[in-house]
Amino acid sequence: MKAHKGLAVALLVVGLIAGCSKEEAKHPANAPAQEVGPQPAPKEKAGTIPVGPGPQGTYTVAAQPAPGSCHYRYTSDKQPLPDSNCTPGATNPKVSAANLADTICKSGYTTSIRPNTTITNPEKAANIKSYGYNGDPRDAEYDHLISLELGGDPNDPRNIWVEPPSPGHQNGNGPNNPKDGVESKLHTLVCSGKVALLDAQVAIATDWTTALAKVGFPS
């Protein structure tokens, strides 16, 4: 009886050793760890606003939406608004609430990141077709929906549109857009710490005519 027990124990030990050897063969203790390549970062969003590529050392002419695919909206007093599908706005990833003093609140910053007319002129011509604008091109501003001074992306087509002149404009007199004044006031409020950067960006991207009221400073 003892002999049988001894034989059974011996067989069990041999089986365990064999099993361990097989596992070691599959997963050697000294095998190098498998390297995992870098994973793509999730696409950033600033609230509900897309984030653009940011300032570039050399800009290239950006493709615009297809001709006739964008449609102006108008407020009750006939102020123009962009098509929110074509032009939802896009922010500059280099600008944040933490670095305002070194970016949009620093004199000369927006000039340093603005694309020149060799880029914006052909983009404007294509965007005129996107929106079907049929007025004098000289009276329409190729406008950053979220202005550069509010941390808008310099050349993302989602942030630029051909803005028609406002009511009362005289043909041939060049752009006449009260939106510019709203942008300047918001910039002052952001840089003085009275309005959060993201709040100003969302307000101007949603409806520039109500942006100041939306952030609590109606004109």
Side-chain angles (χ1 to χ4, degrees):
M1 186 69 176
K2 289 182 179 179
H4 288 301
K5 285 184 179 179
L7 179 59
V9 170
L11 290 173
L12 178 61
V13 170
V14 170
L16 289 173
I17 292 173
C20 290
S21 298
K22 288 179 181 178
E23 285 302 308
E24 288 176 358
K26 290 180 185 176
H27 307 288
N30 297 324
Q34 185 176 1
E35 293 186 7
V36 179
Q39 300 300 304
K43 190 172 182 63
E44 292 185 48
K45 291 283 184 179
T48 58
I49 305 174
V51 177
Q56 305 293 310
T58 302
Y59 288 102
T60 56
V61 176
Q64 302 298 308
S69 63
C70 305
H71 306 282
Y72 291 115
R73 298 174 293 138
Y74 290 89
T75 64
S76 59
D77 57 351
K78 307 301 182 184
Q79 294 289 1
L81 300 173
D83 186 319
S84 57
N85 291 317
C86 292
T87 318
T91 59
N92 176 355
K94 300 297 185 182
V95 176
S96 70
N99 67 6
L100 295 178
D102 296 320
T103 54
I104 62 172
C105 300
K106 181 179 180 180
S107 178
Y109 176 75
T110 58
T111 301
S112 72
I113 65 170
R114 187 182 298 276
N116 63 43
T117 55
T118 61
I119 300 298
T120 58
N121 282 349
E123 289 178 350
K124 179 179 179 179
N127 195 264
I128 283 174
K129 295 178 181 179
S130 301
Y131 272 92
Y133 174 73
N134 55 14
D136 188 332
R138 294 171 297 179
D139 290 338
E141 180 179 347
Y142 191 47
D143 174 72
H144 290 94
L145 179 59
I146 302 173
S147 64
L148 300 186
E149 63 184 340
L150 291 175
D153 192 86
N155 202 44
D156 190 318
R158 296 171 296 181
N159 193 45
I160 318 181
W161 62 306
V162 170
E163 181 185 2
S166 291
H169 177 264
Q170 297 297 316
N171 291 339
N173 284 352
N176 172 34
N177 298 319
K179 177 176 179 285
D180 294 345
V182 174
E183 295 166 353
S184 295
K185 290 178 181 178
L186 285 173
H187 176 257
T188 298
L189 290 168
V190 169
C191 290
S192 64
K194 295 179 180 178
V195 171
L197 174 65
L198 180 57
D199 289 344
Q201 291 173 335
V202 170
I204 197 80
T206 302
D207 183 340
W208 67 264
T209 68
T210 62
L212 287 169
K214 186 168 291 186
V215 298
F217 289 87
S219 55

